[in-house]
Amino acid sequence: MICFNKPYGVLSQFTPEGQWRGLKDFIPVPNVYVAGRLDADSEGLLLLTDDGKLQARIADPRFKMEKTYWVQVEGIPDEAALVALRNGVQLKDGPTLPARARVMETPPGLWERVPPIRVRQTKPTAWLELVIREGRNRQVRRMSAAVGLPTLRLIRAAIGPYTLDGLSPGSWREQAV
């Protein structure tokens, strides 16, 4: 399996599209496939494998593999927002499963994003750690927005036991399963 720290502006596919780059610019390994996608405007851990059963186990919500996200939000989370995230929030496509949610310091070893996020002088920002077991389209962004905290930056830090540890943006490593 390959653990890849996907930079901002890179698609979760090998072929580039429009303004977005593809994985072929970073991973010269043939016949591996993404197990769980990240949007081009999200960063962080992407797993790739040549094992179809492993790919399904990682990506399929039925297996409930936890995914840990670091979310920089606009605004300061209050206890009501954290409780709502912990209980599950109502989205247009139905309620989310309960999440683990906590306010955190800026993630250790955080790299600069290129391009940087927009910052408004009148709005403070904060970091949340959000752990979910689903994988709906843009789910973390929609969850934070549902509690009044728009996402400015989204980094997937872990998928189950696999983490970003030691990976700079655009780098990858092979990892035993």
Side-chain angles (χ1 to χ4, degrees):
M1 174 164 14
I2 291 174
C3 295
F4 174 60
N5 187 348
K6 187 189 90 57
Y8 177 89
V10 175
L11 296 170
S12 294
Q13 63 190 39
F14 279 87
T15 309
E17 209 170 281
Q19 68 184 30
W20 307 116
R21 295 188 300 172
L23 297 175
K24 73 177 184 79
D25 293 342
F26 300 91
I27 303 171
V29 179
N31 303 316
V32 292
Y33 304 93
V34 174
R37 302 176 66 78
L38 273 178
D39 295 319
D41 57 352
S42 298
E43 306 164 72
L45 186 62
L46 199 60
L47 300 178
L48 298 95
T49 180
D50 61 358
D51 180 335
K53 288 181 181 175
L54 177 61
Q55 181 184 24
R57 196 169 74 233
I58 292 166
D60 194 316
R62 291 177 299 173
F63 295 106
K64 308 280 191 261
M65 188 172 275
E66 287 189 338
K67 296 158 192 79
T68 302
Y69 294 88
W70 296 332
V71 190
Q72 187 176 18
V73 295
E74 187 173 80
I76 303 298
D78 60 14
E79 193 57 29
L82 294 172
V83 167
L85 292 167
R86 291 172 186 146
N87 290 334
V89 296
Q90 184 65 40
L91 302 177
K92 287 182 182 174
D93 57 349
T96 66
L97 292 175
R100 292 203 319 265
R102 70 177 183 90
V103 176
M104 64 182 290
E105 296 295 321
T106 301
L110 184 65
W111 56 89
E112 293 295 319
R113 194 185 90 170
V114 179
I117 64 163
R118 67 173 167 77
V119 177
R120 295 198 293 181
Q121 299 303 324
T122 58
K123 286 282 195 174
T125 68
W127 283 93
L128 294 175
E129 181 179 75
L130 201 59
V131 181
I132 63 172
R133 290 174 286 135
E134 298 175 278
R136 297 189 215 174
N137 186 42
R138 299 182 75 77
Q139 180 176 344
V140 171
R141 291 176 189 279
R142 294 188 298 141
M143 288 174 72
S144 73
V147 298
L149 299 164
T151 295
L152 298 172
R153 188 173 181 189
L154 181 61
I155 300 168
R156 184 161 55 200
I159 300 172
Y162 308 104
T163 70
L164 278 179
D165 292 349
L167 283 177
S168 59
S171 66
W172 60 276
R173 68 171 171 262
E174 288 191 43
Q175 179 139 356
V177 178

